Amino acid sequence: MTRTLLAEAVSPPVACCAPVAGPDIDPEGARTLASIFKALADPHRVRIVNLLANAEEPVCVCEFMPLLGLAQGTVSFHLKKLLAAGLLEREQRGTWAYYSLDRDALSRLAGVFDPQGGPR
Amino acid sequence: MTRTLLAEAVSPPVACCAPVAGPDIDPEGARTLASIFKALADPHRVRIVNLLANAEEPVCVCEFMPLLGLAQGTVSFHLKKLLAAGLLEREQRGTWAYYSLDRDALSRLAGVFDPQGGPR
DNA sequence: CGCATGTATTGACACTCGTCGATCCAGGGC
DNA sequence: GCCCTGGATCGACGAGTGTCAATACATGCG
C-alpha cells in the first residue's frame, strides 16, 4: 500500500485512504482520518460540500454568503478548512475566488467505509 | 439535566443517509450528517471503529483501555459518542459491557459519498 | 497613481470538546 | 447483608472551534 506519510508534513491534504474497515489503523492514520471527518463535522461545511456537489461549475465565495447566512469572514474560514482537508479546490479568477469539489477525494472517502476497500 | 439535549434526544441516532452528493440538503439534514461526522472526528474514536471492524465478536470496555492508553472514564466517553451516533451497539453481559460495530450504519455511510448511490 | 471591491486574516468572545480523578451505580460473589 | 469490581457519570480544567467586526491584502478600473 502506498501510504502518504510525508505529504502530511505540509498539511493533511488529500481525503485519503485508510479504510476504516480494513486492517489495523495505526494512531498516525487515525489522526489523518479524523482530521478529514473533522472538516465535515459542521453543518455549514456539509452544506458547502453538498452545494458544490450539485453545482456543475465552480462557485464564487460571494454566492455562499447569502446561501448560508454567514458573514464573509466566516465563509472564508469554513472554505479554508475544507480546502486544507483536500476536499475542495480553489481557483482565482481576477478578484474572485471560485471553489469546486474534489470529486476524487469524495469517492475515495466512500471507499473508506466499504467493507472490502473501495476503488484504489 | 438542564442540558441542550433537545436536538439529540429527538433526532434519530441512526447513521443515516442524506447523500452528500445528492439533491440539496436542508439545514436540518446537514446538522444530522455533521453530527455523525463529529462522532468520527477524533483519532481515538476512529481507532475504536477500526478495532471493532476487525473484531469478529463484541469487545469488552476493559479491552479498549490498554489499547488506546486512556483512562476508563475517557473510554466510556468516546463509546457513548459513537453509540449516540448510531455507529455502535451495546450489550450487557453480567458486569461487563460489550460493544460491537453496526456494520449497516457503516455501509450506509459509504453511500453518503457515492455519486449516485452505488457504483462498484 | 488612487480608489473601490472581493477575499483572507486577525482579535476577541462564548462555547464545545477531550481528558483526568473522583464519585456513583449495578451485578456477582462471600 | 457486605464488599469487590466493571462501567457510567460528574467536576474541573486546558485546548480548540465558530462567529462577528475590523483590518489587511490583492486585483482591476478610472
Side-chain angles (χ1 to χ4, degrees):
Chain A
M1 43 171 118
T2 59
R3 306 283 294 106
T4 61
L5 293 178
L6 57 158
E8 196 170 354
V10 182
S11 63
V14 268
C16 98
C17 16
V20 85
D24 292 344
I25 295 181
D26 55 299
E28 187 79 15
R31 251 186 358 101
T32 304
L33 210 37
S35 75
I36 294 168
F37 292 133
K38 214 180 317 185
L40 290 168
D42 180 278
H44 291 134
R45 291 199 286 271
V46 168
R47 285 195 73 199
I48 289 174
V49 170
N50 178 241
L51 287 167
L52 289 175
N54 290 331
E56 280 306 319
E57 305 189 358
V59 177
C60 172
V61 173
C62 53
E63 298 218 42
F64 287 113
M65 296 193 276
L67 284 172
L68 301 175
L70 292 176
Q72 179 267 319
T74 307
V75 172
S76 269
F77 168 79
H78 287 304
L79 290 170
K80 185 190 175 90
K81 291 257 185 188
L82 290 168
L83 195 65
L87 296 170
L88 264 49
E89 286 168 347
R90 197 189 109 103
E91 177 192 358
Q92 184 99 22
R93 293 186 198 170
T95 316
W96 295 270
Y98 285 78
Y99 285 83
S100 55
L101 190 62
D102 184 337
R103 301 183 186 268
D104 286 355
L106 218 61
S107 48
R108 276 197 298 275
L109 214 42
V112 165
F113 294 104
D114 260 331
Q116 57 271 25
R120 222 177 173 288
Chain B
M1 314 293 208
T2 57
R3 306 209 131 253
T4 62
L5 292 176
L6 175 120
E8 203 164 334
V10 174
S11 79
V14 269
C16 105
C17 13
V20 85
D24 293 343
I25 295 180
D26 55 298
E28 187 78 15
R31 250 184 1 100
T32 304
L33 210 37
S35 75
I36 295 168
F37 292 133
K38 214 180 316 186
L40 290 168
D42 179 279
H44 292 134
R45 291 198 287 270
V46 168
R47 285 195 72 199
I48 289 174
V49 170
N50 177 241
L51 287 168
L52 290 175
N54 290 332
E56 279 308 318
E57 304 190 357
V59 177
C60 172
V61 174
C62 54
E63 298 218 44
F64 287 114
M65 295 194 273
L67 284 172
L68 301 175
L70 292 174
Q72 180 266 319
T74 307
V75 171
S76 268
F77 168 79
H78 287 304
L79 290 169
K80 184 190 174 91
K81 291 258 184 186
L82 290 168
L83 194 65
L87 297 169
L88 264 49
E89 285 167 349
R90 196 187 111 103
E91 177 193 357
Q92 184 99 21
R93 293 188 199 168
T95 317
W96 295 270
Y98 284 77
Y99 285 84
S100 55
L101 190 63
D102 184 337
R103 300 182 187 269
D104 286 354
L106 216 62
S107 49
R108 275 197 298 272
L109 214 41
V112 166
F113 294 105
D114 263 331
Q116 29 269 12
R120 165 130 23 132

